[in-house]
Amino acid sequence: MYRTDFLLGEQQRSINDSHQNLVDLNEESLLLDDIRDVLLPDLFDMKPPEYESSDLQIKKQWEQVFVPSDSPVIHSCKLPKDMIPRILEDEGFHIPRKPEVSRKSCNKMENRLLQEGGKCWFAESGEIIALPSPIKQTRNFRKLFPIKTIREKRQLGCCFPVLCCQGELYQLSLNISTLLFSYHPLFNREHVLASRLLQLYECFQNRQQQNVTHLLSEKLEALLNATKVAESNLETSQLRRNTLENYRLQIRDTSKLYDAEQQKDISLIQNMLKVWKQIKSLRRQQEFTTDQINHQFVYLELIKFFFNLVCFRHEQKRRAKVQRQKYFIKIFYNEKQVSCTSETPLQLDFKVIIQQIFSIQVLNWPESLRIEIFESTKRTKLLTKVCLPIPNNFILKSKDVLEQAEFSCEHQVKPSDGTVGSNVPFLPDENEIGELWLLTSGRLMYSLSWAVNDRGIPLAPVFQPINATYHSVLRDVASGIATGIVWCTDVEKLIEWAKEVNIDPNDPEYSDLIELIKYARFKEQNVPKYFRLEQLQEEFNFVTEEEIKKSKRFQLLQLRNLGQLDFCHYQQIPLYDREIPDTLFQEYENQLEKEILMTDVDPITAQRISSANFMRKLVMIHLVKTKHKFNLSDIVSDYEEIISMSQLRNAVFKVGERRRHLKPQRKERRKVPAQTVSDGDVKLLVRILRAYNIPSRKSVTVHPFVEVSFQHTGYQTSIAEGSHPCWNEELQVDFTSPGHDYSFSGLSKIKDNVYINIFDEFVIEKHEDTCPKGCSGHSYIRKNWLGSVSFPFSALLEQSKICGTFQVNMPPVFLGYTWSKTYMSPQEEYCGPNLKEYTFLTIFATIEPQLSSVESDLESDKVDETLLQRAYIFKKDCKALFPRRRIITSVFNNEGRNILVTKYISALNPPEILLDKYPGDLNTTFDIISQFVSLIPCISDTLDENDDIDIWMTSEHCISLATGNKEEHAVLLCNYLLYFGKKAWVLLGTSVLEGKVAYVLTQENGYYFLWNPLNGQRYKQFDTFCPLQRVDCLINWENVWFNTQQNNSPMCVSFDISKEGFWKQLLPYNFQHTKAQTVQPKEILYSPTDENMVEELQSRLEKALKSKVMEWRSRQPTRWHRQCTAVLRQILPKLELSNGNVVMDKEEKELESLQERYWVTGYPIQMPYIDLQSISEAVYQTDIHSSEVPNTEFALAVHIHPYPNNILSVWIYLVSLVCQQ
Amino acid sequence: MGSIPPGGAWKLLSGVRAGQTQVDHPQLDDVAYWSHPIDIHFATKGLQGWPKLHVQVWHQDAFGRSELYGYGFCHVPSSPGFHLLECVTWRPLGSWQEELSQLFVGGGPQLLNSDLIYTGADRYRLQTQAMGVVHLQLGVLLRNFDRYGVAC
């Protein structure tokens, strides 16, 4: 309420205010009315609105606007007053066609320009300037230029020969002798007249030489005579009359000419006289004569005036000026300044004596030689340019005649001090009316010629006279060849183009082109038919291609890029070439060219090497295909998957877990991608658990210990006691990959084996008294090798762990050891007959950390054949069922063709020799055959991770090359066994020790046997110590079976292939294919091995091994026991024949006899022959050489038993003897 | 995708001339990050044919179809050190019918010969559309250039 009241009050107040205002306004308006009456007529004026009619407006506008008419303009209006239009075309300049403009618009433009006063737009010809002026006004500046000038002493008429080192260099010599001014701005009147006189006189002389008047008078006389004769013979015929008429006409003409010539002569003479008079009067007037003006006149004898009287002041001034005037000359060669003369003063008779000789050594073709004459009083001023003609190449130095070059200059010089100036109107005589425009002019006396060198050979460019007309084109072509720009290669096109464009042949811009076309037409054959793609490249190269190729660093980088840098282990490529040894490349080349036989390598070794290379190449072909394929897990490292439920469970139940298990289980570890590890990260863990049934010494108990060696480093367990020791020790074996390449493929290339050797420690008491008792050094320790288990590193990499009890490889003969009587079997349930004579070792080996392998799912090549397609599908299905199991359905042969594996299997004949050995005993024959197969050297594929690309060679190849991989061995053995009518299959599976293997399965009387083709061993199906772990696939000539049984260890597998639930087959039963489809030959032909070669190899091996042993024992002397060696040599052949089973009596006894005097240790080793290195490696592993006992003697024997096709069985018997005292 | 076209005097020592990046699915902004390493080593006997990088940007749609999104090239810097390069890309334009069909079904004009990207002899005849910038970070190491009087 209160609020509204207040508002109302406000309103009322404002209303009151406005009332008051109204009252005020009314008062004011009364006042205004009075004022209007009085004042307004003065201030305002009423006017009608301004309007202009549109016509008027247009008219006005038209006054402003200028419309040029299109009528033609008179020439005189366009040019400055009193100027005759200069038409350049008439003067000989080339004027190109003008752009077309219609005459009308042109006229309009001209009219407009005239109106605007733009006279500068008109050319001298009176046309609008539409083209660039053909008269070029260029300035030249000094530029470095490959021309040498040699300034010589002032000499006239001769020149010093200039040394010229190259035949290509030409030399011009230019002799600039004098500059004569025929007119000079500093002339005085007398000089002008004198020079005119001289000119007239010269003209007169010329006429006299021509003697036209005389000739004409003679002619006139002759004609007159002729007419006289004609008139005298008045027998006028029509003809005569005509000739007479003709004569008269001629006489008339000739007399007219004669009169005119005579008139000229007379006027000339009169002119001369007049000028002479003028000079005379002038002299009289001046009262002095300018010195040394020589006048020669026909009528007047030589007059010389020699007045050196008092001259007027201005004449003195003029003379001083003349003396101040200096001139110098610049020489331009091909538009480039070459040299210039020194400044020379002007003499009073207006001569400049320069007298300089320039020798110009010329590299480029002479185009032009130009001389610029400069005047230098206070500032230099260009007087004029003179072009000198290039002399012909036959104009040589010997010529002394000076040539003249005339010049003139248009500079305006105002007359002063009695001089006449130049380019200004000049009145030669007061009483004469004729006005003269005199220009500075003169003559240059010079001589130009090609130089001659001191042997008299002209230094001039030589060209054939035929080409003389085309010399400038030649120059172009020559320069083109020199620089590589052959722009004129396609001359035909060029000519065509020229025709099309319709080039004006007179256009100086195209003169080169026209000449070129002419030249090309003239000499079409000589134009090169090629063009260069990268022109000028060679000119700009820093180095040559060879230098880059030679650089060792670059070579290494390229090799590294190709992935062939295995042979040297550089982390970084050295920065400088000097840091890279040359031997590196030799090594590489050696690797490449192993095929090239060294002089001391026998043919057998050579064959081995070449076949190894052959295989390597085969593998390389496919290696390239599969190189760059990675899985996600290879690239992304943090992608961690939970491997199994057990991990999860472990994680959950960790809290409630028992501290110590009684029988701890091995846990699964995380897989680490191989790329992420580096040096020192990877270790091999080998746990040696225990050994069974180690042979014991005859008298004392054995002290066995185990040594694990890998990559030439050994690790040793502690020494246990007895025949059944238990070590339970873990050995950490350091591992470095060569080349620091830890990718899986790089690791799988490592061919090193892990050797686990069992040794017996043998302590011999020292008998010397030099050592006090109680000292540790009172006995010698010797280790005796008892046997070894070895497996390749790649097997460990593949399976990530190797675990189990393995039979130890032992030499067939032990000296000084017997089998222990306390036999203990590693597995109680097994009771075999032979086991007493085998030693077993339980180990566990693994790689820490576990490296994940590349499991690539390759898409194999498209298979078009239905059978192969079926095989491919079958394989895919099988892989889907059991991804870990191996299956091979198709392989590549050595030609790279995809072939079904069944075609590889067919019965083949083994060598005859093997069959003849034990004709009755089949089982022994089989053993021999498997032994034979195992003697073929085995090449392990580096591509173990890729089953998909296997290359199998046929058995024939395998035999002839004497090499093969695991599968080829199995195929060969299977084929041999089939020959005997056995039921045999090739079995693909996994072995504990060897990784992926191929065995041969045979069936006999319901029993199944497994053959290892690599060492010739035969196992029963239920043999516990058979290293075969998994059975994946069976192959024979009919079909391929894939194991679909849950448990695939050989002991649990049922080999009854007829059961489809157990074995999935590739081809249905009813599928029949003929045997003819096999890729194998029907029969293999064997060639016997050369006995001599074998013997040679044998002795070589023995020598090499002996030297090796001595090398290993470099600290101690090595003595060889001859008697023992002889015994060994006798034993060895029998070992091979006996096949290790039969115990020899006689030789054994001989050894026994030795044993009475010596402690004898040593064993025979048998192996296939691959190369020397592998043999020495095997010997090294036995460690016999490392005996430290003094007076140890050694005996070594090598025997090679030859089988057909250079397949050799090598026996090595190494014995160490210690004298018993 | 990118490649380094061969140059006159230049010789490839190691590394690959051409390669392909991963497919990036830009979720934030309109930037695709490829983080593709380029490691290439040249030896040269002259200056002709200084190496250049030439890129082709491709787009993969929801159906997995790839279509061209741009061409571009840039020179490898001639001064040593770290460089941030921006390589502008372009795409040839088709007729309006083609553009319309491209809008709905994808595809579009592509160069028949990829040399055209950097040779430029006929490039002026193309009608193109700007297609974004490819950012490159290049570290350039030069060696022995000063020995032959090349100031870098």
Side-chain angles (χ1 to χ4, degrees):
Chain A
M1 279 299 283
Y2 167 78
R3 178 88 188 151
T4 43
D5 278 348
F6 174 75
L7 275 174
L8 278 172
E10 283 268 291
Q11 275 174 343
Q12 270 176 344
R13 201 188 302 159
S14 65
I15 288 164
N16 288 342
D17 283 351
S18 58
H19 267 290
Q20 264 187 338
N21 283 346
L22 269 174
V23 173
D24 290 347
L25 268 175
N26 288 339
E27 282 171 10
E28 271 177 31
S29 62
L30 279 172
L31 258 172
L32 275 172
D33 283 337
D34 298 338
I35 288 163
R36 193 180 291 153
D37 295 335
V38 184
L39 295 174
L40 279 183
D42 294 342
L43 289 172
F44 298 111
D45 182 24
M46 289 305 290
K47 266 185 182 171
E50 272 181 35
Y51 170 71
E52 259 178 300
S53 75
S54 56
D55 292 346
L56 269 172
Q57 251 181 356
I58 289 162
K59 240 185 221 170
K60 260 192 179 174
Q61 273 173 16
W62 273 110
E63 279 166 20
Q64 300 293 320
V65 173
F66 163 69
V67 180
S69 74
D70 49 4
S71 56
V73 193
I74 316 148
H75 263 293
S76 55
C77 302
K78 291 189 273 186
L79 294 171
K81 260 184 191 177
D82 305 330
M83 205 169 144
I84 310 145
R86 180 184 174 193
I87 293 157
L88 286 172
E89 258 165 320
D90 294 351
E91 288 175 34
F93 287 103
H94 169 81
I95 309 282
R97 230 178 294 142
K98 277 184 188 175
E100 260 185 49
V101 184
S102 72
R103 196 62 236 172
K104 241 183 180 181
S105 47
C106 199
N107 286 340
K108 261 189 181 177
M109 192 71 211
E110 279 177 4
N111 273 319
R112 195 182 133 192
L113 285 173
L114 274 179
Q115 187 68 30
E116 284 176 8
K119 277 200 179 175
C120 55
W121 288 99
F122 295 105
E124 285 167 311
S125 62
E127 303 276 311
I128 296 175
I129 296 169
L131 292 165
S133 170
I135 305 161
K136 208 179 188 180
Q137 277 161 353
T138 48
R139 283 174 189 280
N140 284 294
F141 49 90
R142 201 192 168 99
K143 222 178 185 183
L144 282 177
F145 187 68
I147 284 185
K148 254 179 159 176
T149 59
I150 297 160
R151 190 179 299 172
E152 290 181 21
K153 283 177 194 170
R154 291 185 181 197
Q155 275 201 346
L156 182 63
C158 75
C159 108
F160 289 131
V162 175
L163 279 179
C164 180
C165 43
Q166 294 164 339
E168 306 284 320
L169 270 177
Y170 306 125
Q171 192 176 318
L172 273 172
S173 68
L174 174 67
N175 174 14
I176 297 171
S177 92
T178 37
L179 206 60
L180 296 168
F181 283 96
S182 57
Y183 183 79
H184 194 271
L186 291 180
F187 271 16
N188 58 13
R189 279 165 184 279
E190 193 187 337
H191 279 117
V192 176
L193 292 174
S195 72
R196 252 171 91 193
L197 193 58
L198 263 176
Q199 268 177 11
L200 287 170
Y201 174 60
E202 261 171 32
C203 192
F204 179 76
Q205 261 190 331
N206 271 339
R207 286 187 69 82
Q208 282 241 310
Q209 268 179 9
Q210 280 173 357
N211 217 355
V212 184
T213 41
H214 184 65
L215 277 173
L216 285 171
S217 67
E218 273 183 357
K219 193 183 172 186
L220 206 63
E221 220 168 285
L223 280 167
L224 279 170
N225 281 339
T227 42
K228 267 179 192 167
V229 171
E231 276 171 350
S232 62
N233 300 337
L234 276 171
E235 299 136 12
T236 49
S237 62
Q238 191 61 34
L239 192 89
R240 284 284 164 102
R241 211 172 287 155
N242 278 353
T243 44
L244 205 65
E245 211 48 27
N246 215 349
Y247 280 145
R248 276 176 189 156
L249 253 175
Q250 278 192 17
I251 288 166
R252 213 174 296 145
D253 287 351
T254 321
S255 56
K256 255 184 199 169
L257 265 175
Y258 178 73
D259 287 349
E261 288 296 316
Q262 257 193 338
Q263 199 64 45
K264 266 186 195 170
D265 275 0
I266 290 159
S267 70
L268 201 66
I269 291 165
Q270 277 177 344
N271 269 336
M272 281 198 283
L273 281 169
K274 204 171 102 188
V275 170
W276 180 235
K277 269 177 198 162
Q278 278 178 354
I279 292 172
K280 269 186 166 175
S281 67
L282 194 70
R283 283 186 180 166
R284 233 172 285 125
Q285 216 176 5
Q286 284 177 343
E287 294 177 0
F288 73 93
T289 52
T290 318
D291 52 346
Q292 287 180 357
I293 298 175
N294 303 334
H295 303 283
Q296 293 173 337
F297 234 68
V298 186
Y299 309 94
L300 309 169
E301 65 270 23
L302 192 89
I303 306 161
K304 274 191 183 175
F305 295 91
F306 238 106
F307 288 98
N308 278 328
L309 292 171
V310 192
C311 301
F312 287 126
R313 240 189 9 194
H314 64 257
E315 174 62 15
Q316 274 178 332
K317 261 188 189 174
R318 188 191 68 82
R319 289 186 185 187
K321 251 188 191 176
V322 169
Q323 270 157 352
R324 253 184 278 138
Q325 201 89 339
K326 279 178 181 173
Y327 286 89
F328 66 95
I329 291 175
K330 281 182 180 173
I331 302 161
F332 287 80
Y333 178 82
N334 284 2
E335 302 297 316
K336 274 150 194 147
Q337 187 183 335
V338 175
S339 181
C340 71
T341 63
S342 53
E343 286 184 359
T344 321
L346 183 69
Q347 292 176 0
L348 278 176
D349 55 351
F350 295 97
K351 260 188 190 173
V352 184
I353 298 170
I354 298 162
Q355 300 284 47
Q356 263 184 305
I357 295 176
F358 296 93
S359 293
I360 307 166
Q361 285 191 343
V362 174
L363 287 174
N364 294 31
W365 194 275
E367 257 172 2
S368 65
L369 190 64
R370 190 157 46 93
I371 278 173
E372 289 184 1
I373 299 163
F374 284 85
E375 189 185 69
S376 67
T377 39
K378 277 163 198 166
R379 52 201 175 87
T380 52
K381 192 171 76 177
L382 173 67
L383 260 188
T384 182
K385 298 170 187 174
V386 185
C387 278
L388 304 182
I390 305 289
N392 283 333
N393 59 338
F394 45 82
I395 296 177
L396 298 178
K397 192 62 228 173
S398 51
K399 187 182 77 134
D400 281 345
V401 185
L402 291 182
E403 285 170 79
Q404 293 185 356
E406 294 198 359
F407 62 90
S408 69
C409 142
E410 290 183 357
H411 283 291
Q412 235 177 25
V413 181
K414 280 191 180 153
S416 63
D417 298 336
T419 61
V420 284
S422 162
N423 208 1
V424 283
F426 163 68
L427 288 167
D429 207 0
E430 278 81 12
N431 31 16
E432 233 177 299
I433 313 141
E435 212 178 50
L436 280 176
W437 291 77
L438 288 171
L439 300 178
T440 312
S441 62
R443 280 170 299 168
L444 175 74
M445 308 300 284
Y446 75 99
S447 76
L448 180 65
S449 62
W450 295 101
V452 182
N453 70 1
D454 47 356
R455 277 166 293 172
I457 299 163
L459 296 169
V462 185
F463 35 77
Q464 276 89 39
I466 308 166
N467 294 343
T469 45
Y470 302 112
H471 63 266
S472 64
V473 181
L474 263 178
R475 165 205 66 203
D476 279 346
V477 173
S479 67
I481 287 160
T483 53
I485 308 166
V486 189
W487 56 281
C488 51
T489 42
D490 209 344
V491 181
E492 278 175 36
K493 266 194 178 172
L494 198 70
I495 294 167
E496 253 172 57
W497 172 80
K499 268 184 192 168
E500 247 175 62
V501 182
N502 207 0
I503 287 180
D504 196 336
N506 298 324
D507 195 333
E509 268 184 40
Y510 295 120
S511 66
D512 272 3
L513 194 69
I514 299 293
E515 270 192 351
L516 175 78
I517 290 169
K518 269 190 203 165
Y519 172 72
R521 279 182 186 152
F522 170 73
K523 220 179 183 181
E524 250 171 4
Q525 302 90 349
N526 284 15
V527 175
K529 291 261 158 56
Y530 56 87
F531 76 103
R532 275 160 65 183
L533 195 65
E534 279 160 351
Q535 28 171 287
L536 297 173
Q537 175 120 322
E538 272 168 38
E539 278 78 4
F540 285 99
N541 278 354
F542 304 146
V543 290
T544 55
E545 188 93 29
E546 284 71 45
E547 264 177 85
I548 288 184
K549 268 188 192 162
K550 253 196 279 173
S551 163
K552 294 185 213 160
R553 181 178 148 82
F554 289 167
Q555 282 178 17
L556 277 186
L557 282 168
Q558 276 176 312
L559 284 177
R560 184 174 72 177
N561 191 39
L562 292 170
Q564 289 177 347
L565 212 63
D566 302 336
F567 60 92
C568 65
H569 312 305
Y570 276 124
Q571 287 270 33
Q572 286 165 336
I573 307 286
L575 207 56
Y576 298 102
D577 274 2
R578 56 170 186 269
E579 291 169 4
I580 303 168
D582 287 319
T583 48
L584 215 64
F585 293 101
Q586 286 170 7
E587 238 174 271
Y588 177 65
E589 275 158 23
N590 287 347
Q591 242 188 12
L592 281 183
E593 295 164 7
K594 260 189 179 169
E595 291 124 278
I596 294 171
L597 301 179
M598 282 155 75
T599 46
D600 62 329
V601 174
D602 56 300
I604 297 174
T605 321
Q607 189 212 12
R608 292 275 191 281
I609 291 166
S610 68
S611 51
N613 277 334
F614 178 71
M615 281 301 290
R616 195 187 298 154
K617 271 178 200 162
L618 275 183
V619 172
M620 272 303 285
I621 295 165
H622 290 280
L623 188 85
V624 173
K625 277 190 195 169
T626 53
K627 193 130 198 210
H628 290 288
K629 289 192 177 171
F630 295 106
N631 273 354
L632 182 67
S633 59
D634 295 327
I635 296 161
V636 186
S637 67
D638 59 353
Y639 179 72
E640 198 174 324
E641 58 182 339
I642 295 160
I643 299 163
S644 66
M645 282 302 288
S646 67
Q647 264 192 340
L648 262 182
R649 203 187 53 214
N650 286 349
V652 174
F653 293 108
K654 209 167 189 178
V655 191
E657 211 178 5
R658 213 184 290 174
R659 282 283 158 78
R660 274 181 75 171
H661 288 277
L662 282 178
K663 195 182 177 189
Q665 297 280 314
R666 293 194 183 273
K667 283 180 194 167
E668 277 181 88
R669 290 169 299 168
R670 217 188 101 213
K671 280 191 178 177
V672 174
Q675 287 92 338
T676 57
V677 295
S678 59
D679 268 351
D681 287 356
V682 182
K683 282 199 169 96
L684 300 185
L685 300 182
V686 183
R687 179 165 281 263
I688 310 296
L689 294 166
R690 59 195 303 163
Y692 303 95
N693 214 15
I694 287 173
S696 58
R697 262 179 268 170
K698 277 170 182 165
S699 50
V700 260
T701 52
V702 287
H703 296 277
F705 67 94
V706 174
E707 194 185 89
V708 176
S709 77
F710 179 65
Q711 289 177 335
H712 295 281
T713 39
Y715 302 87
Q716 195 173 313
T717 64
S718 58
I719 297 154
E721 230 175 78
S723 291
H724 310 286
C726 176
W727 293 281
N728 201 13
E729 274 180 47
E730 190 166 87
L731 302 173
Q732 276 197 358
V733 180
D734 285 331
F735 168 75
T736 47
S737 173
H740 310 283
D741 178 15
Y742 285 92
S743 66
F744 196 83
S745 63
L747 287 176
S748 65
K749 274 184 202 159
I750 299 167
K751 283 171 189 152
D752 297 321
N753 284 345
V754 180
Y755 295 98
I756 300 169
N757 296 311
I758 304 172
F759 288 98
D760 175 25
E761 197 192 54
F762 193 76
V763 182
I764 302 169
E765 293 286 325
K766 268 185 193 170
H767 291 282
E768 293 98 85
D769 298 326
T770 50
C771 218
K773 282 202 174 173
C775 166
S776 61
H778 67 284
S779 61
Y780 293 111
I781 297 164
R782 213 173 78 169
K783 15 188 212 175
N784 288 349
W785 183 64
L786 295 180
S788 76
V789 175
S790 70
F791 51 88
F793 173 77
S794 54
L796 191 60
L797 188 71
E798 246 166 59
Q799 304 173 50
S800 79
K801 62 178 181 185
I802 286 174
C803 171
T805 306
F806 305 103
Q807 185 192 320
V808 178
N809 263 337
M810 304 188 96
V813 181
F814 271 117
L815 294 176
Y817 286 90
T818 52
W819 296 104
S820 73
K821 283 136 204 161
T822 58
Y823 169 70
M824 203 165 89
S825 172
Q827 264 155 334
E828 278 83 41
E829 65 265 29
Y830 185 81
C831 42
N834 293 334
L835 283 185
K836 276 197 175 172
E837 293 195 1
Y838 291 112
T839 305
F840 297 95
L841 183 69
T842 309
I843 55 162
F844 174 85
T846 187
I847 300 177
E848 176 67 37
Q850 191 178 9
L851 299 173
S852 71
S853 63
V854 179
E855 280 160 21
S856 52
D857 42 352
L858 291 165
E859 285 164 30
S860 77
D861 303 344
K862 276 186 183 170
V863 276
D864 38 84
E865 294 167 62
T866 50
L867 211 61
L868 288 175
Q869 210 155 12
R870 192 190 172 85
Y872 180 64
I873 292 162
F874 177 71
K875 188 172 176 178
K876 270 182 116 181
D877 291 347
C878 294
K879 281 275 172 199
L881 273 174
F882 293 98
R884 299 282 298 162
R885 291 189 188 175
R886 294 177 72 203
I887 171 116
I888 296 173
T889 54
S890 59
V891 289
F892 290 93
N893 67 355
N894 52 2
E895 284 155 10
R897 274 189 55 223
N898 211 346
I899 284 174
L900 213 62
V901 277
T902 55
K903 293 184 184 175
Y904 275 89
I905 293 160
S906 78
L908 283 174
N909 58 320
E912 287 288 313
I913 307 164
L914 305 182
L915 302 181
D916 294 345
K917 258 187 192 169
Y918 298 96
D921 192 355
L922 259 182
N923 272 341
T924 325
T925 314
F926 292 153
D927 282 341
I928 288 171
I929 286 168
S930 70
Q931 207 71 46
F932 170 71
V933 171
S934 71
L935 285 177
I936 298 171
C938 175
I939 288 180
S940 57
D941 301 336
T942 49
L943 283 176
D944 276 349
E945 72 265 33
N946 281 323
D947 275 349
D948 285 47
I949 38 165
D950 259 322
I951 303 156
W952 287 14
M953 286 185 293
T954 62
S955 298
E956 192 187 21
H957 267 115
C958 187
I959 288 282
S960 63
L961 290 175
T963 179
N965 59 13
K966 296 165 184 170
E967 286 85 3
E968 283 158 5
H969 278 87
V971 168
L972 185 64
L973 184 60
C974 181
N975 289 348
Y976 283 158
L977 294 174
L978 283 172
Y979 181 77
F980 293 101
K982 274 204 169 193
K983 279 189 172 177
W985 296 265
V986 171
L987 183 147
L988 299 180
T990 319
S991 160
V992 182
L993 283 181
E994 292 148 307
K996 290 171 179 172
V997 284
Y999 275 45
V1000 176
L1001 179 78
T1002 55
Q1003 191 203 12
E1004 237 176 304
N1005 314 325
Y1007 291 107
Y1008 288 94
F1009 289 94
L1010 295 162
W1011 304 73
N1012 185 351
L1014 292 184
N1015 57 17
Q1017 294 250 20
R1018 181 175 62 165
Y1019 306 93
K1020 283 177 187 166
Q1021 188 193 347
F1022 300 106
D1023 194 331
T1024 353
F1025 304 109
C1026 174
L1028 192 68
Q1029 220 179 18
R1030 296 201 302 262
V1031 178
D1032 298 333
C1033 173
L1034 288 180
I1035 301 161
N1036 80 347
W1037 59 273
E1038 284 174 328
N1039 217 335
V1040 178
W1041 290 271
F1042 182 71
N1043 186 3
T1044 53
Q1045 296 163 66
Q1046 278 307 315
N1047 198 336
N1048 64 349
S1049 79
M1051 268 182 273
C1052 313
V1053 166
S1054 154
F1055 284 110
D1056 188 0
I1057 51 169
S1058 58
K1059 285 184 182 164
E1060 283 195 41
F1062 289 168
W1063 294 94
K1064 186 178 160 86
Q1065 55 199 1
L1066 167 66
L1067 305 167
Y1069 278 117
N1070 52 6
F1071 192 90
Q1072 292 294 319
H1073 53 223
T1074 51
K1075 267 194 175 179
Q1077 270 184 310
T1078 179
V1079 292
Q1080 304 281 14
K1082 278 186 183 161
E1083 201 179 358
I1084 297 177
L1085 294 173
Y1086 297 95
S1087 60
T1089 308
D1090 190 354
E1091 293 276 344
N1092 292 334
M1093 266 182 355
V1094 170
E1095 262 173 42
E1096 198 186 314
L1097 181 65
Q1098 189 176 314
S1099 59
R1100 191 205 309 277
L1101 271 183
E1102 196 170 315
K1103 246 186 229 167
L1105 279 179
K1106 274 187 179 171
S1107 66
K1108 279 270 178 192
V1109 169
M1110 288 201 270
E1111 194 183 302
W1112 294 328
R1113 290 174 53 82
S1114 52
R1115 290 187 186 177
Q1116 291 109 350
T1118 309
R1119 268 174 245 126
W1120 298 98
H1121 197 278
R1122 295 202 179 173
Q1123 190 196 351
C1124 185
T1125 310
V1127 172
L1128 294 178
R1129 280 200 185 130
Q1130 284 172 345
I1131 294 172
L1132 278 175
K1134 288 178 184 166
L1135 282 171
E1136 170 69 25
L1137 293 177
S1138 66
N1139 218 8
N1141 293 336
V1142 185
V1143 184
M1144 301 127 304
D1145 305 322
K1146 202 176 138 199
E1147 283 76 20
E1148 190 81 335
K1149 270 181 190 141
E1150 275 178 41
L1151 270 180
E1152 298 262 316
S1153 66
L1154 278 172
Q1155 265 178 304
E1156 282 170 12
R1157 286 183 288 135
Y1158 298 96
W1159 280 305
V1160 182
T1161 38
Y1163 354 83
I1165 310 162
Q1166 195 237 346
M1167 58 189 302
Y1169 176 68
I1170 299 165
D1171 54 7
L1172 186 66
Q1173 203 187 347
S1174 60
I1175 289 168
S1176 68
E1177 182 88 347
V1179 173
Y1180 183 80
Q1181 287 302 323
T1182 62
D1183 235 2
I1184 288 175
H1185 61 271
S1186 67
S1187 165
E1188 284 178 354
V1189 185
N1191 303 325
T1192 314
E1193 285 173 81
F1194 291 90
L1196 180 104
V1198 176
H1199 171 70
I1200 297 178
H1201 187 84
Y1203 287 97
N1205 280 52
N1206 291 339
I1207 292 159
L1208 308 174
S1209 162
V1210 179
W1211 286 85
I1212 298 151
Y1213 211 137
L1214 184 59
V1215 165
S1216 75
L1217 305 115
V1218 179
C1219 198
Q1220 282 179 346
Q1221 284 170 341
Chain B
M1 247 171 41
S3 72
I4 297 170
W10 295 71
K11 187 181 181 187
L12 182 77
L13 285 186
S14 71
V16 282
R17 270 197 197 282
Q20 188 179 338
T21 67
Q22 41 132 346
V23 180
D24 184 59
H25 181 54
Q27 281 160 327
L28 207 69
D29 299 333
D30 283 344
V31 188
Y33 293 95
W34 289 302
S35 308
H36 184 79
I38 298 169
D39 183 5
I40 195 153
H41 195 145
F42 281 112
T44 184
K45 57 178 174 150
L47 288 179
Q48 275 94 344
W50 192 278
K52 33 188 176 284
L53 289 157
H54 121 233
V55 294
Q56 288 183 23
V57 185
W58 288 73
H59 167 247
Q60 201 170 50
D61 64 7
F63 304 105
R65 298 177 306 175
S66 298
E67 58 179 323
L68 181 96
Y69 250 45
Y71 299 111
F73 88 92
C74 59
H75 281 278
V76 171
S78 55
S79 59
F82 181 76
H83 300 268
L84 287 167
L85 303 180
E86 292 195 344
C87 177
V88 290
T89 62
W90 50 271
R91 174 178 79 87
L93 270 180
S95 64
W96 69 267
Q97 290 104 325
E98 281 166 346
E99 290 297 308
L100 196 70
S101 78
Q102 187 184 4
L103 191 67
F104 291 108
V105 290
Q110 287 176 26
L111 293 185
L112 284 176
N113 188 1
S114 61
D115 285 355
L116 204 64
I117 300 166
Y118 46 87
T119 51
D122 276 332
R123 204 166 42 181
Y124 66 92
R125 291 194 294 170
L126 290 172
Q127 204 175 5
T128 60
Q129 187 180 15
M131 290 305 283
V133 182
V134 177
H135 295 265
L136 295 149
Q137 300 177 347
L138 274 190
V140 179
L141 282 171
L142 300 175
R143 190 160 173 249
N144 287 344
F145 269 92
D146 52 344
R147 193 191 288 173
Y148 299 102
V150 182
C152 293

